[in-house]
């Protein structure tokens, strides 16, 4: 256990922040999975901008790395364009 008041507070803040980040990262992963599983082009085309926006927001707030967001957006765009 930490000895300083500031360390105790920092531990509390870190736990809260980690929980917050974990929630948004998991939500993003589920959205990406859902989009990758789609076979209907119209539905995928409608969902892609929402997922793209989510990835951009998470990259902006450093929940995921900006390059990871770019790689995911690129691969998802390829998937959506390949659908018949």
């Amino acid at each position: 256990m930490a000895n300083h008041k500031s360390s105790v507070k920092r531990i509390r803040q870190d736990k809260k922040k980690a929980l917050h980040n974990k929630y948004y990262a998991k939500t993003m992963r589920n959205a990406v999975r859902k989009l990758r599983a789609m076979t209907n082009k119209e539905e995928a085309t409608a969902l892609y901008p929402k997922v793209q926006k989510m990835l951009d927001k998470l990259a902006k707030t450093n929940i995921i790395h900006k390059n990871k967001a770019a790689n995911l957006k690129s691969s998802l765009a390829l998937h959506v364009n390949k659908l018949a």
Side-chain angles (χ1 to χ4, degrees):
M1 189 65 197
N3 292 323
H4 295 281
K5 267 181 140 177
S6 61
S7 332
V8 174
K9 181 177 179 181
R10 175 61 60 196
I11 291 168
R12 254 193 346 258
Q13 287 174 330
D14 288 345
K15 281 183 186 173
K16 189 174 179 182
K17 194 71 161 172
L19 190 65
H20 176 267
N21 289 346
K22 194 186 294 184
Y23 168 77
Y24 283 104
K26 184 67 176 176
T27 305
M28 177 269 303
R29 282 196 302 272
N30 287 338
V32 168
R33 262 189 222 116
K34 184 178 176 184
L35 185 58
R36 280 204 178 117
M38 284 188 173
T39 53
N40 186 352
K41 189 172 178 95
E42 291 81 32
E43 289 177 20
T45 308
L47 183 64
Y48 178 68
K50 293 175 185 155
V51 174
Q52 186 178 12
K53 184 177 177 181
M54 186 186 303
L55 288 167
D56 286 336
K57 278 186 177 180
L58 294 178
K60 187 174 125 184
T61 55
N62 291 323
I63 293 174
I64 60 171
H65 196 273
K66 64 184 176 92
N67 292 351
K68 180 182 177 75
N71 289 336
L72 283 170
K73 289 192 310 189
S74 173
S75 67
L76 289 172
L78 282 172
H79 172 70
V80 169
N81 288 332
K82 280 183 183 177
L83 293 174

